[in-house]
């Protein structure tokens, strides 16, 4: 994923950009004469494949490398084939012509090498490195300074900052990344030498983490090496033990966020593997997820937001700080309740994951009754002559009571109990290639205070050790200077002695007088919206006159794609249409999601609507609107929590029977997750 300031364009590669809410142009110290326009790009999951062959077979034994089949000139959409070089070239060309002059920085979320999916053409260290070098060269072509490319300062080669990170396929074997320094940190220290600040090269060699001040003294992008958190990385063991690189990485993250807070700066966190976690599935080791969620909560005044890729589906996750437990933070043990999300998701294999997200969101506090009471109170106020004073006072008391209860559940008026992670879809056409443009607020940029760069004292030496107890009152007095107690629900030992394994440093949260951070309240650098782009390869490749609704659904295996078994109409040479990205949806004018902005509270409201199994009037639609239900009776949507999960075959829901009431917000969520590549009836069969 790539991220550019002002606007993010995400494709996985992801791109993102943001537009300013005012026309104020601010000159950057390291970009003389250039102003912040508000846009940025995020990109990742390109997976370029130099062995891709046009009109080859998309079956597993062909992998779009040989044989005859439907593989298009720009990629074999809805298959497990990787990206042809033509798609990479066309995407960068489109960015050059349409986005280059509108963006301020790029976030590149990794996976810039092909998958190891063909036994006849195994990957090699040299191949993985060369493919990443090729992508670097594409950035040079689009964003390079012609007069600086060969100067002595490699970090001065681009017109905007570009921030890369590791993907699980950027190493060999994939997923396996041992503690550094190692051959991969040394290799990428050379490949990414143009992107890594000189003063951070030593830290990068140690573990592959670093940050870039994309807007000097104001905004930093922290590049996380999420492979150390990835539960499929068998070379490491979580974030609990001091000897583990995951522990060291979390300490680095804690210290950097502490420094940024001292300097009055804000931060964007980016990585490859997202902190996905449901009742039965996870992508990170539990100790890493616990620390990350705690850090996000304690530094909620600093973090603007976080961006990830890897999973190839468009969605978001919420981290609940009340799920943080001291013992889980400190013990490196097997989490037997959750299986690992260790690969990109197909429609069928994603069904359990997305359905579990929905089930969790169904438990979020409902704002509907509160809104109804507020509306009634406003109505009574407008027609006060029709109501007695006692009636009005009773309504106002009920409003205040319900509002207090609701705010307590979400962590106050800004929803600070939760943090948000955006997971962007990919450029590799497992579905359709995508780009995302994220807008952020720079309306008050000229009033943001500028703090000189300073070296803060390491908080590890300032702060005290804290022990996990069931109530804050049980914490020892006098704990200050950067750390505080945490209520975790763990039982307090009857002994006054404190076992070493319960010892944990917890960073202080923002002061009680501090305003909410940019992820919670609209302010400078808050994300205001995004535009989701996609390239319709079925139309662009122009190989098939009539599309088909049939597809080979593989629950956990190889996807052969929507064109499997068909013969292209152009047998000898490609005849594509003009390559372009179109808008799939824009959150600023999207009537389905209805996001006011990209703050946590807006996403809490959206998640709550997605989770409704009996949707409110405005969120309902009938199955016949999808061409599915044809009966005369109306049936409410089945509660998916009680439905028996099915792994094989298709379960028809009323194709010739009752009309079914569907939550259109949930349906839009799963439709967009797969970039509109799946048939509505198929989605209805799988997700309800």
């Amino acid at each position: 994923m790539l991220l550019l300031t002002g606007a993010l364009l995400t494709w996985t590669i992801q791109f993102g950009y943001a537009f300013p809410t005012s026309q104020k142009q601010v000159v950057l110290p390291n970009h003389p004469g250039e102003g912040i326009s508000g846009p940025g790009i995020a990109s990742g999951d390109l997976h370029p494949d130099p062995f891709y062959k046009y009109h080859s077979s998309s079956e597993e034994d062909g992998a779009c490398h040989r044989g005859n089949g439907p593989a298009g000139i720009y990629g074999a959409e809805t298959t497990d084939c990787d990206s042809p070089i033509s798609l990479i070239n066309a995407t960068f060309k489109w960015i050059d012509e349409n986005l280059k002059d509108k963006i301020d920085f790029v976030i590149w979320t990794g996976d810039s090498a092909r998958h190891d999916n063909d036994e006849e053409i195994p990957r090699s260290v040299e191949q993985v490195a060369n493919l990443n070098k090729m992508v670097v060269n594409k950035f040079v072509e689009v964003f390079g300074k012609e007069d600086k490319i060969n100067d002595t300062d490699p970090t001065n080669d681009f017109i905007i900052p570009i921030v890369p990170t590791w993907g699980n396929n950027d190493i060999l074997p994939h997923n396996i990344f041992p503690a550094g320094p190692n051959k991969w940190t040394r290799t990428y220290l050379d490949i990414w030498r143009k992107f890594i600040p000189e003063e951070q090269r030593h830290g990068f060699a140690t573990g592959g983490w670093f940050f870039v001040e994309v807007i000097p003294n104001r905004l930093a992008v922290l590049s996380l090496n999420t492979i150390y958190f990835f539960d499929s990385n068998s070379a490491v063991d979580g974030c609990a033990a001091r000897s583990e690189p995951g522990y060291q990485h979390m300490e680095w993250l804690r210290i950097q966020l502490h420094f940024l807070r001292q300097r009055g700066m804000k931060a964007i966190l980016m990585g490859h593997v997202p902190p996905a976690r449901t009742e039965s599935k996870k992508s990170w080791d539990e100790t890493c997820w616990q620390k990350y969620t705690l850090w996000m909560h304690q530094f909620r005044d600093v973090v603007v937001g976080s961006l990830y890729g890897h999973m190839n589906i468009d969605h978001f996750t919420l981290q609940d700080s009340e799920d943080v437990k001291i013992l889980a933070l400190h013990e490196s043990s097997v989490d037997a309740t959750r299986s690992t999300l260790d690969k990109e998701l197909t429609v069928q294999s994603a069904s359990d994951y997305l359905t579990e997200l929905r089930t969790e969101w169904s438990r979020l506090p409902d704002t509907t009754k509160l809104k109804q009471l507020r509306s009634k109170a406003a109505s009574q106020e407008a027609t006060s002559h029709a109501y007695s004073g006692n009636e009005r006072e009773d309504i106002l008391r009920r409003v205040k009571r319900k509002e207090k209860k609701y705010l307590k559940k979400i962590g106050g008026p800004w929803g600070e109990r939760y943090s948000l992670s955006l997971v962007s879809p990919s450029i590799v056409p497992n579905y359709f290639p995508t780009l995302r443009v994220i807008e952020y607020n720079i309306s008050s940029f000229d009033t943001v205070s500028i703090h000189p760069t300073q070296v803060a004292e390491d908080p590890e030496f300032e702060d005290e050790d804290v022990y996990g107890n069931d109530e804050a009152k049980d914490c020892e007095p006098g704990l200050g200077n950067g750390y505080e107690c945490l209520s975790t629900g763990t039982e307090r030992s009857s002994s006054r002695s404190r076992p070493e394994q319960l010892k944990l440093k917890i960073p202080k949260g923002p002061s009680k007088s501090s305003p909410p951070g940019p992820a919670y309240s609209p302010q400078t650098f808050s994300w205001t919206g995004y535009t989701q782009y996609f390239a319709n390869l079925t139309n662009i490749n122009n190989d098939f006159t009539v599309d088909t609704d049939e597809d080979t659904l593989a629950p956990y295996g190889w996807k052969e794609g929507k064109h499997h078994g068909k013969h292209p109409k152009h047998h000898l040479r490609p005849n594509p249409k003009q390559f372009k990205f179109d808008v799939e949806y824009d959150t600023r004018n999207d009537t389905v999601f209805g996001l006011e902005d990209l703050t946590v509270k807006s996403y809490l409201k959206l998640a709550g609507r997605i989770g409704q199994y009996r949707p409110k009037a405005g969120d309902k639609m009938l199955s016949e609107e999808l061409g599915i239900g044809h009966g005369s009776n109306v049936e409410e949507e089945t509660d998916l929590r009680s439905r028996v999960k099915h792994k094989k075959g298709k379960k028809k829901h009323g194709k010739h029977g009752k009309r079914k009431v569907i939550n259109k917000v949930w349906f839009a969520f799963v439709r967009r997750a797969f970039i509109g590549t799946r048939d509505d009836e198929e989605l209805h069969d799988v997700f309800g």
Side-chain angles (χ1 to χ4, degrees), residues 644-661:
V644 177
K645 297 176 182 179
H646 57 284
K647 298 288 185 181
K648 298 181 180 180
K650 295 183 178 182
K651 183 176 180 180
K652 303 296 181 182
H653 298 283
K655 186 172 184 179
H656 301 292
K658 294 181 179 180
R659 293 182 295 163
K660 184 177 179 182
V661 175

Side-chain angles (χ1 to χ4, degrees), residues 104-158:
D104 298 328
F105 61 87
V106 175
I107 290 177
W108 171 16
T109 56
D111 264 6
S112 298
R114 73 178 184 93
H115 289 96
D116 202 0
N117 57 12
D118 189 346
E119 293 181 355
E120 296 187 23
I121 312 176
R123 300 197 313 164
S124 66
V125 171
E126 182 181 17
Q127 181 189 117
V128 170
N130 286 339
L131 287 172
N132 271 274
K133 291 177 183 177
M134 182 201 75
V135 176
V136 170
N137 289 336
K138 298 305 297 183
F139 281 116
V140 171
E141 290 177 15
V142 176
F143 298 107
K145 295 180 181 178
E146 294 183 2
D147 60 336
K148 298 290 185 179
I149 293 300
N150 295 316
D151 66 6
T152 57
D153 181 5
T155 62
N156 190 37
D157 290 351
F158 297 94

Side-chain angles (χ1 to χ4, degrees), residues 8 22 50 59 78 100 115 118 150 196 220 231-232 253 339 345 349 411 432 479 528 546 590 599 617 643 674 676:
L8 309 175
S22 78
E59 295 181 1
T78 72
K100 175 182 177 180
H115 289 96
D118 189 346
N150 295 316
I196 303 170
D231 202 48
S232 294
L253 176 59
S339 60
L345 301 178
S349 61
F432 282 141
L479 296 177
T528 60
V546 180
D590 175 26
T599 59
R643 179 187 297 172
F674 305 104

Side-chain angles (χ1 to χ4, degrees), residues 319-339:
Q319 290 78 236
D320 185 352
S321 62
E322 291 198 0
D323 284 344
V324 176
K325 308 297 180 186
I326 287 290
L327 288 178
L329 279 162
H330 213 285
E331 292 181 349
S332 181
S333 58
V334 176
D335 181 5
T337 63
R338 296 180 178 90
S339 60

Side-chain angles (χ1 to χ4, degrees), residues 81-100:
C81 294
D82 284 329
S83 302
I85 303 302
S86 57
L87 174 60
I88 306 302
N89 291 337
T91 299
F92 274 95
K93 183 174 184 292
W94 192 88
I95 294 168
D96 189 19
E97 295 173 349
N98 295 276
L99 295 176
K100 175 182 177 180

Side-chain angles (χ1 to χ4, degrees), residues 471-486:
E471 296 292 344
K473 63 182 175 59
D474 290 328
C475 291
E476 295 292 333
L479 296 177
N481 300 322
Y483 286 92
E484 61 182 19
C485 297
L486 179 70

Side-chain angles (χ1 to χ4, degrees), residues 280-435:
S280 69
K281 302 181 187 306
K282 63 178 179 179
S283 58
W284 285 15
D285 177 271
E286 181 67 8
T287 58
C288 300
W289 186 92
Q290 291 274 330
K291 280 192 176 181
Y292 175 82
T293 301
L294 178 58
W295 279 200
M296 291 287 282
H297 181 70
Q298 300 301 87
F299 291 104
R300 59 191 181 275
D301 56 324
V302 177
V303 177
V304 175
S306 58
L307 297 163
Y308 299 93
H310 177 65
M311 297 178 74
N312 296 345
I313 58 174
D314 180 358
H315 69 296
F316 64 93
T317 66
L318 294 166
Q319 290 78 236
D320 185 352
S321 62
E322 291 198 0
D323 284 344
V324 176
K325 308 297 180 186
I326 287 290
L327 288 178
L329 279 162
H330 213 285
E331 292 181 349
S332 181
S333 58
V334 176
D335 181 5
T337 63
R338 296 180 178 90
S339 60
T340 302
L341 286 164
D342 60 352
K343 62 182 297 183
E344 295 85 351
L345 301 178
T346 67
V347 176
Q348 290 282 12
S349 61
S351 62
D352 289 348
Y353 169 67
L354 294 178
T355 298
E356 286 186 6
L357 282 180
R358 186 190 188 191
T359 300
E360 290 180 2
W361 295 343
S362 71
R363 304 186 188 111
L364 291 171
D366 186 7
T367 61
T368 304
K369 293 182 179 179
L370 179 60
K371 290 179 180 178
Q372 290 173 345
L373 280 173
R374 284 174 173 168
S375 177
K376 187 173 182 179
S379 176
Q380 288 190 356
E381 187 68 27
T383 57
S384 58
H385 62 279
Y387 299 91
S388 69
N390 290 337
E391 287 177 314
R392 289 197 301 274
E393 290 178 4
D394 180 62
I395 289 292
L396 291 174
R397 280 195 298 268
R398 290 167 62 193
V399 168
K400 290 181 179 179
R401 187 166 58 249
K402 284 192 173 291
E403 185 170 36
K404 183 178 180 180
K405 184 177 180 181
Y406 169 73
L407 294 179
K408 183 178 180 181
K409 286 183 177 180
I410 67 170
W414 309 105
E416 293 178 287
R417 167 179 165 178
Y418 297 90
S419 58
L420 171 71
S421 297
L422 298 184
V423 185
S424 295
S426 60
I427 197 67
V428 65
N430 293 148
Y431 305 106
F432 282 141
T434 66
L435 303 173

